[in-house]
Amino acid sequence: MKINFRGLLYSSLLISSLIFNCKETYANEKRSITGINLGVYEKGPYLGIYSDINKRNQVEVGINYLDVPIGSYDANFSEKIKGRLSFAGLRLLYRRFYKPKIDNGIYTEAGLELSRISAYSTIKLSELTYKSGNLSVRCPTCSSMDLSIRPSTFELIPSLSIGWKQKITPRISLNSSIGIQYKKIKNANWTYNTNQFMPLFVKNEVDQAIIKVNKDLEDLPTIFPTLMFSISYRFN
């Protein structure tokens, strides 16, 4: 899977410049970037840049990317299939502290993430065994097949969290947050990697496997937990 990571970075910098350089309605001074935030959350490594609005409020824009194996999955083939999971996204966060001390203490956070989440696997059909009547047969002439859950566009994922920021030095702080996010998982589909004929007994098992995968996806919830740990560095 090809992710335009450079495009995500440019987009985040553009959005952050629009946010962080805007003027408050009650002031005439330009807003500047306050610091950076480096950490990890459920969708992988994260890099953000943030700005203080006032003594209680912050805004942040960040990017994340991760592509990792997720082990084997039973899709009703003769063998389990191995898959990979990929995350790429751009996050906009609004953070409000309970006490007028923005570099320490408890806070709530609302997020909106422009994200692409994909799960995919390449299945070597020639290495599997199939049922044809009462017989178990192979298809040595079969090519490989891509099984994927790949949205064609990025989707918006809203989230709400509560967190704690602990000041370590005048410039460095540790952050942790936990919350919930809304995400509806798309259905899976498959693509045969050749124009070569696929035998009917192979196609039948592939179709049954897709039905099982999509049934499992439909049983997934739409509310998922979100968790982040990070280190922030303040420029001034």
Side-chain angles (χ1 to χ4, degrees):
M1 176 183 176
K2 295 181 179 179
I3 297 291
N4 190 350
F5 186 72
R6 181 179 297 179
L8 285 176
L9 179 59
Y10 288 165
S11 297
S12 67
L13 292 176
L14 175 60
I15 293 176
S16 64
S17 66
L18 292 176
I19 294 174
F20 298 147
N21 292 328
C22 66
K23 294 182 179 179
E24 292 184 62
T25 56
Y26 56 84
N28 292 322
E29 58 179 312
K30 182 184 289 186
R31 227 179 262 301
S32 62
I33 295 175
T34 303
I36 60 173
N37 199 14
L38 180 64
V40 62
Y41 72 130
E42 75 280 350
K43 298 184 184 71
Y46 173 83
L47 173 64
I49 50 179
Y50 64 90
S51 179
D52 296 343
I53 298 176
N54 51 43
K55 292 183 178 181
R56 287 180 181 267
N57 301 286
Q58 280 181 349
V59 290
E60 180 171 316
V61 173
I63 55 175
N64 70 281
Y65 176 72
L66 181 69
D67 191 312
V68 293
I70 53 174
S72 300
Y73 172 75
D74 184 5
N76 277 349
F77 287 115
S78 61
E79 298 178 11
K80 291 184 177 181
I81 60 175
K82 295 181 179 180
R84 296 188 68 87
L85 189 63
S86 174
F87 297 102
L90 175 67
R91 300 186 86 194
L92 176 62
L93 300 172
Y94 168 75
R95 193 174 292 124
R96 178 173 176 82
F97 288 80
Y98 279 90
K99 295 181 179 180
K101 195 174 182 181
I102 208 162
D103 57 356
N104 210 57
I106 194 170
Y107 61 86
T108 54
E109 187 175 79
L112 192 61
E113 184 174 355
L114 187 63
S115 181
R116 181 185 176 104
I117 303 174
S118 304
Y120 57 98
S121 177
T122 298
I123 305 167
K124 295 182 178 180
L125 299 177
S126 60
E127 298 180 359
L128 302 178
T129 301
Y130 307 91
K131 293 291 184 180
S132 180
N134 295 325
L135 300 176
S136 294
V137 297
R138 286 184 175 270
C139 181
T141 60
C142 286
S143 181
S144 62
M145 180 192 78
D146 287 335
L147 172 64
S148 63
I149 309 166
R150 293 184 175 179
S152 57
T153 59
F154 286 83
E155 298 180 69
L156 289 176
I157 302 176
S159 63
L160 291 173
S161 302
I162 186 168
W164 175 266
K165 187 169 188 175
Q166 180 63 52
K167 187 175 181 180
I168 305 299
T169 73
R171 292 181 180 270
I172 298 176
S173 300
L174 293 178
N175 314 285
S176 60
S177 65
I178 187 170
I180 57 173
Q181 58 184 320
Y182 174 85
K183 169 64 180 173
K184 176 65 177 175
I185 306 296
K186 300 291 186 179
N187 283 349
N189 54 62
W190 62 274
T191 302
Y192 195 38
N193 295 334
T194 180
N195 292 326
Q196 191 174 357
F197 173 73
M198 177 185 286
L200 183 60
F201 61 85
V202 177
K203 185 178 184 302
N204 286 340
E205 290 212 18
V206 170
D207 288 340
Q208 290 303 312
I210 296 298
I211 291 175
K212 180 184 185 301
V213 171
N214 285 331
K215 176 62 171 61
D216 291 343
L217 292 174
E218 289 174 359
D219 291 338
L220 291 176
T222 56
I223 301 297
F224 295 88
T226 179
L227 179 68
M228 174 174 277
F229 296 98
S230 65
I231 298 177
S232 60
Y233 179 82
R234 177 176 289 270
F235 296 140
N236 49 44

